[in-house]
Structure formats: C-alpha cells, structure tokens
Amino acid sequence: MIHRRHALGLFAAAAILPSRSFANVSYQRSEFREDLQKRFFDLGTEGTFVGYKIDDYLIIASDKTRSGEGKLPASTFKIPNALIALETGVVQDPDKDVFKWDGVTRSIEAWNKDHTLRSAIAVSAVPVFQEIARRIGEERMKKYVDIIDYGNRDIGGGIDQFWVTGNLRIDPVQQIDFLDRLRRGVLPVGKRSQQLVCDILPVTKVGDAVIRAKTGLTDKEHGSLGWLVGWSEKGSDITVFAMNMDCKTQAQIDARMSVTQQCLTDIVAL
C-alpha cells in the first residue's frame, strides 16, 4: 500500500513503508524516470506519470515535484462517487437503476439520455453524477470521503461541484493509493460495492493487456488539467497508475490515453 505522506515528491531512496500495512504487502521501492517526461514534451505540454508495479513493489514516477502536487480530481472522482452511491444505497444495481435525463440539452450528445451507473461512467455523464452526489447529501458524502481517505478530504464548494470547481484536491500518489485499495477490495466499505465499481470502470484492450481507467478534465478557469487514472492488467502483472497533464488543445485532451499507454510501455507494464 502507498501512503501520500511518504513523499514521492521527496523521492526518498529508502523503501516506503505503508501506513495501512497488510501481511502480504512488502516494503516498496521508488524510482525516478526522467525519460518519461519526453512523452509530455512531445505533446507540447507538461505533465506527470506515476506507476505502481504491484509484483515488484516498485513505484516509478516521471518527476520529483508534480507527482506529489494536489489537483482537482474532476471526473476521476466519479470512481469514489460511484462507490459511495452503492455503499449508501443511492444506487442498488449499476445496470438496472435508471437516472432519467433532465431534458436539458448539453453539448455532449451522449449525456442527453437516461443512464444507469454503468452507462453514465462510460460516457462520463457529469449531470448524472451531480444528481448522485445530491442524493448522497453533504453529511454522508463527507463521512465516506473521510472513511476512504480520499485526497485532502475537503468537499467544500457545493455538493455537486466540489470535485470540479471546489476544494477537493488529490495528487497522483494519493490516486494510486486509493485505486490500489479499491482494486484489492480493502477499503473500509462493503466488498460488493468495491467489486461493482471495479467492474463498471471503462475498459481499453491493448494487445494482450487490459486497462481499467477513468478520465478527468477541468475547465479552462481551473487549469485545463487532464487526468487518466486506473490500472493495467497483463497476465498476472498489475500496474496501478495516475497521469495528469496540462491540456490546452483538443489534441492534448484526446492524447490522455495514448500518452498513458506510452508511459506504461516505457516501464514495461504493457
């Protein structure tokens, strides 16, 4: 397990001891790979990539600074939002419970229809997850964001806005810590909720590997930051990752998956 207070930002040469220790989790090693920065440079932007190779207990980061900087999670928060919805009963079945379209026509056509939790996360339907957050409510949302120790745990800024324009911040190392606990089913919530969220994560197949991941994108006012977080599975080899980069152009927005795949290939995870 990874803990954010063991600074990848400081990039200690010593092994990283998880605070949430389990018997089958060893000390972790960390490695700085400056060559990964070329992937962002080639796109004309700046960014960071952090990968955690589970079997090797190895954390690989592209830089010493940005990898530990907290940012708005944007739509990557749909992962914990979905988890909390299932845990609180706001959603009972991710394939059967339907959120009716509110009739407001939005620029993304895929949002202008009814959705289940699975279909909503597939197209990153912001209005659906805003409605989910409102149904969860501030008290329960705060409780569960605390329980799962997500980012800075600050949901200030509006119950349906805090992850897109509000106070919530999370860095790549925290993203990986959360995702690894979710993947392993060791978050302090129900196993069923965790398994269902893992199951509804969008899947991309790359050769004989599978990537389960969620995108995120903040608006221009909040930095035009693009995220991709999740994990890759190649046989029995699993790598949990978090990538964010400045996205000033549509081409950069579209490149979130490709640049992540390049970084995963560079660290021999694909």
Side-chain angles (χ1 to χ4, degrees), residues 16-248:
I16 300 173
L17 176 62
S19 65
R20 306 182 191 86
S21 296
F22 287 79
N24 62 336
V25 177
S26 177
Y27 288 92
Q28 286 139 347
R29 298 177 294 121
S30 53
E31 184 179 303
F32 171 51
R33 288 275 303 273
E34 189 175 24
D35 60 297
L36 294 170
Q37 279 294 318
K38 184 178 184 298
R39 298 304 184 182
F40 303 105
F41 179 80
D42 288 347
L43 284 170
T45 190
E46 295 181 357
T48 187
F49 173 87
V50 183
Y52 176 38
K53 303 190 78 171
I54 304 299
D55 288 346
D56 298 331
Y57 305 109
L58 175 63
I59 302 165
I60 301 172
S62 63
D63 65 277
K64 298 179 180 180
T65 303
R66 184 163 174 153
S67 58
E69 290 178 350
K71 309 281 188 181
L72 277 162
S75 286
T76 66
F77 185 74
K78 288 184 173 71
I79 302 174
N81 203 358
L83 179 70
I84 296 166
L86 288 161
E87 192 67 11
T88 57
V90 166
V91 175
Q92 298 281 348
D93 189 315
D95 294 302
K96 294 181 179 178
D97 293 1
V98 175
F99 292 85
K100 294 290 186 180
W101 178 39
D102 61 9
V104 177
T105 301
R106 296 176 175 88
S107 60
I108 299 176
E109 183 59 34
W111 296 1
N112 302 326
K113 58 184 288 188
D114 297 348
H115 277 290
T116 61
L117 188 64
R118 186 185 298 274
S119 68
I121 202 167
V123 299
S124 204
V126 171
V128 173
F129 281 88
Q130 288 180 312
E131 175 60 22
I132 286 172
R134 289 190 288 266
R135 293 187 189 183
I136 292 170
E138 188 169 343
E139 184 176 346
R140 290 192 295 181
M141 184 68 81
K142 175 61 176 171
K143 171 188 172 182
Y144 280 99
V145 168
D146 282 342
I147 284 174
I148 64 176
D149 191 20
Y150 186 86
N152 67 357
R153 305 187 298 180
D154 187 344
I155 68 167
I159 187 59
D160 57 4
Q161 295 289 333
F162 64 87
W163 66 93
V164 287
T165 61
N167 297 345
L168 189 61
R169 298 290 185 275
I170 190 165
D171 64 47
V173 179
Q174 291 171 317
Q175 289 270 24
I176 289 174
D177 175 51
F178 166 71
L179 291 165
D180 188 49
R181 288 181 289 140
L182 171 68
R183 179 193 64 80
R184 297 176 64 230
V186 298
L187 289 165
V189 296
K191 291 277 189 183
R192 175 181 178 271
S193 300
Q194 296 176 77
Q195 291 168 352
L196 286 173
V197 171
C198 291
D199 181 63
I200 66 173
L201 276 178
V203 171
T204 300
K205 294 184 178 180
V206 185
D208 60 350
V210 171
I211 296 174
R212 302 179 190 276
K214 183 71 194 72
T215 56
L217 183 66
T218 63
D219 59 25
K220 290 182 180 179
E221 184 180 348
H222 295 85
S224 298
L225 178 81
W227 282 100
L228 189 71
V229 305
W231 61 88
S232 64
E233 304 167 356
K234 186 176 183 180
S236 61
D237 294 336
I238 297 172
T239 301
V240 188
F241 64 84
M243 184 282 303
N244 72 48
M245 66 180 183
D246 300 332
C247 291
K248 306 298 185 183

